[in-house]
Amino acid sequence: MPSVRPISPTEHRDYLATLPSASFLQTPGWGKVKSEWRSESLGWFDDEGKQVGVALVLYRQLPRLKRFLAYLPEGPVIDWADDDLAAWLDPMVAHLRKQGAFAVRIGPPVVTRRWTTAQVKEGIADADVRLLSQIPPAERNPIGARTVAQLHELGWRHQGVEGGFAAGQPQFVFQVPLRHADGTQRTEDEVLKGMNQLWRRNIKKAAKEGVEVATGSREDLKAFHELYVHTAERDHFTPRPLRYFETMYDALRADGEERFTLWMGRHEGDLVASTIAIRVGEHAWYSYGASSTEKREVRGSNAVQWAMIRDAIAAGAAVYDLRGITETLDADDPHVGLIQFKVGTGGEAVEHAGEWDLPVNRALYKAFQVYLARRG
Amino acid sequence: MSLSLTVDGPRWRAHLESVADAHPGIVPVAKGNGYGFTLGRLARKAQWLAERGHDVRTLAVGTYDELPEVAQRWHGDLLVLTPWRPWVPLPEPALSRRLVHTVSRVGDLRDLLHADPSARIVLERMTSMRRHGMAARELWEAGELLRKHPGARIEGLALHLPLGQGTHLGEVTRLMNDFVAAEVPAHGAPDVWVSHLTDAELATLRSQYGDFGFRPRIGTGLWLGDRGALRVTATVLDVHPVERGDAFGYRGRTAPKSGHVLVVSGGTAHGIGLEAPTGDQSMKARAATIARGGMDAVGFVRSPYSIDGKQRLFAEPPHMQASMLFVPHGARVPEVGEDVDVRVRYTATTFDRITVTT
């Protein structure tokens, strides 16, 4: 049974470097981004003392109590294919309990189901289909199923979400595979051909209109942020402060320069679209995006996306991840536009096992649930 | 002279067809006493449904011993609901090809594959009922074994769910997840063989698991779903006037007041007066059961026979093929040869005669 102990950020970083990839939410840098949470790096070690797993734990304090929710977003990074997950999770929970955790929340990074672009499109077109779950998936993943079965068995509780986004990490994401089934890299041309006509036309149009895409520096974050605040007003979401992105820039790039890239799309000097890309090993994410309301016709957003995808291909990434989608395929749902935009890339909808809670102190856990429910 | 079941044929058949229509992939269940109709008749009826173009491909029986009763009358596949055990002999090859075994233990799966490498198998997953079936990890083990036996013909997953008690969807979802986890080598889309799901639950599952087939096993709801099409009658065999204090019967009981003692067909051999547990656990139902059980201790108890719509008392416990009823003074006394209605539990009753009107 592997043992668990706290490790240094350097040990954490070095272990991740031995893996093809891991969620950026499990990197040591992410702990610095979430500065309002206490964070800790944990390592799993086998009997010979060899490191076999790692986790970034975020501790969130209960109001007025010295008790914490221990949160491992999209983690821990362990061997989820193991039939004996208790051997991995039990020592972790024992450690977190000693640290004052009243509950543990994890997000096993395992895939449970996948749907192709064609399936998602048919689902949106079909009035009877409201949710992705109503379409038979192209794949049901046995490792994901075993993880789910074992978590049930071990008393973990799935934090279900219906319809909209959950408070935590999204269970459904949209990804463009950048490799063929045999492991070889897809070419730019192949990825482009997988996109729908609208995307291809928009990418072409942006080039014709003279949209220029380049990476930005830390100083350019300010320009990104202005555009992002503008986007937030238009699309009705609450923007994060500039400082958040500066911290993210510093913290993630301290782990590796590829971890954070700012992309700027300009048309005749005007910033029309700007995004943040993140990459850990073979996994590239589109993280934040902003776009101008004016000059939409030059298709800056498509141009920046295409630049990020090309960059991911060039870096040899296996996946271009457009992050969360809601499960809805209801053509009347306001969220469906987001899915339609992402579906245009020709990727696939991917379901993960979702987030799971283990109450350590049942009374406090219950009080916490009530508190969350009241907060809405 | 007999305890008779009279079936309103057109109405009953219309009901059977409507159930079959509403449940594509239906697996009619013919087990035990054949729900009162006999196994043979149900097998023929299932065949009739199939010939009428309904999606009926498999008939389920309860035990291997019931197979000979149905195998000649029904020509499709046969599913045995009781899990196979190593001491169960395998039938001759002609029947083997039609037979689908339920397997509920990994050891049995190994033995059965050894005895018949091409056996058709449904894997049973333990449900909250905790009767037969494999736990999640046993199912995974079965999957591992089956990946080494690519010749085995796995027809899917069997779930025996408890009755009622809220929705089954959460449980079914979890149990099916275990089947996905088991990575059972597929020969086409696997079927999930289920019972006791509401039509709404089935519709939800069919929508969420479009990559699985669903085979609802239905017995009671199919054969006995339209009680109005069924009538059970007994014949009045004899009528004797009695005065208060007159002795009668095997046990020399005395009449509590004046009236008539009736001898009617139907006794313990038919299942009359034998209490089958109803499953109703209310205090009232339990008190009633105790009262009926103690019938020979004090007074008369209610019988399942009714005359002119009124349920009559047993004058003494039922005999093997006839029962004695007490009809108090003032009520109409039926004549010898007249039919009276009987309320029975079909799954516990054997009829002397079954008439299906055309």
Side-chain angles (χ1 to χ4, degrees), chain B:
Chain B
M1 294 288 281
S2 42
L3 187 68
S4 301
L5 168 63
T6 309
V7 182
D8 177 342
R11 182 170 168 176
W12 189 52
R13 287 188 294 269
H15 167 74
L16 299 184
E17 292 204 74
S18 76
V19 175
D21 271 341
H23 300 90
I26 184 175
V27 180
V29 177
K31 63 180 179 182
N33 70 341
Y35 295 81
F37 299 94
T38 73
L39 294 175
R41 176 173 278 102
L42 297 189
R44 279 199 302 271
K45 223 37 150 184
Q47 184 62 35
W48 173 80
L49 280 171
E51 283 162 9
R52 298 273 293 181
H54 298 280
D55 184 12
V56 182
R57 285 161 280 159
T58 311
L59 179 71
V61 294
T63 64
Y64 285 86
D65 294 322
E66 290 167 352
L67 285 171
E69 287 294 307
V70 301
Q72 304 298 319
R73 298 172 170 103
W74 156 258
H75 306 311
D77 289 345
L78 287 157
L79 170 73
V80 181
L81 296 171
T82 304
W84 185 83
R85 291 290 184 255
W87 58 80
V88 174
L90 293 173
E92 74 342 315
L95 185 55
S96 261
R97 279 193 290 278
R98 295 165 59 199
L99 190 56
V100 180
H101 303 271
T102 301
V103 175
S104 68
R105 304 188 302 178
V106 180
D108 291 350
L109 179 64
R110 197 171 286 120
D111 288 348
L112 180 56
L113 288 177
H114 182 72
D116 179 2
S118 64
R120 301 172 65 184
I121 292 165
V122 164
L123 298 172
E124 183 164 6
R125 169 74 175 90
M126 173 85 80
T127 68
S128 57
M129 221 170 115
R130 302 204 165 273
R131 193 170 62 174
H132 304 300
M134 298 183 220
R137 283 171 187 277
E138 288 167 333
L139 202 59
W140 304 356
E141 211 185 311
E144 205 180 314
L145 180 66
L146 287 165
R147 290 196 291 280
K148 292 175 199 150
H149 285 84
R153 296 167 65 188
I154 298 301
E155 310 267 342
L157 175 72
L159 302 175
H160 276 89
L161 296 161
L163 282 162
Q165 294 167 17
T167 175
H168 290 108
L169 287 178
E171 180 173 4
V172 173
T173 304
R174 279 180 60 172
L175 300 174
M176 288 183 64
N177 178 69
D178 294 336
F179 185 77
V180 175
E183 268 187 281
V184 173
H187 301 267
D191 281 327
V192 186
W193 307 66
V194 287
S195 55
H196 302 142
L197 289 175
T198 64
D199 290 355
E201 286 171 332
L202 262 178
T204 305
L205 287 169
R206 282 185 205 276
S207 137
Q208 291 189 352
Y209 292 89
D211 46 340
F212 285 80
F214 283 87
R215 310 292 301 276
R217 294 180 308 240
I218 308 181
T220 307
L222 177 66
W223 310 119
L224 299 172
D226 183 4
R227 296 295 166 105
L230 312 174
R231 186 172 177 227
V232 179
T233 53
T235 313
V236 177
L237 303 175
D238 235 326
V239 178
H240 310 291
V242 288
E243 291 301 321
R244 182 165 189 260
D246 282 355
F248 64 89
Y250 275 126
R251 294 155 209 242
R253 288 184 158 217
T254 53
K257 47 189 174 180
S258 69
H260 288 81
V261 167
L262 263 58
V263 184
V264 292
S265 55
T268 52
H270 303 91
I272 294 291
L274 300 183
E275 202 58 39
T278 59
D280 187 343
Q281 292 183 7
S282 69
M283 276 314 286
K284 195 180 157 200
R286 285 161 68 182
T289 305
I290 291 165
R292 277 191 291 272
M295 65 180 294
D296 54 359
V298 276
F300 296 168
V301 299
R302 218 145 59 129
S303 81
Y305 295 84
S306 55
I307 300 166
D308 300 335
K310 174 142 177 67
Q311 248 183 304
R312 288 302 170 194
L313 302 173
F314 275 126
E316 72 165 3
H319 306 158
M320 195 159 159
Q321 291 188 300
S323 297
M324 291 176 98
L325 308 178
F326 182 73
V327 179
H329 182 71
R332 185 184 73 85
V333 180
E335 288 177 29
V336 171
E338 200 178 318
D339 282 346
V340 297
D341 287 323
V342 196
R343 213 182 59 190
V344 298
R345 280 211 64 198
Y346 290 85
T347 51
T349 306
T350 310
F351 299 101
D352 295 312
R353 186 186 301 154
I354 301 169
T355 313
V356 182
T357 64
T358 48

Side-chain angles (χ1 to χ4, degrees), chain A residues 267-301:
Chain A
H267 180 257
E268 292 168 354
D270 298 326
L271 188 63
V272 290
S274 183
T275 56
I276 291 168
I278 297 177
R279 186 163 62 79
V280 181
E282 299 175 345
H283 205 117
W285 289 268
Y286 156 51
S287 179
Y288 283 92
S291 61
S292 65
T293 310
E294 281 169 19
K295 291 195 175 180
R296 284 185 91 72
E297 70 284 357
V298 303
R299 300 296 165 190
S301 288

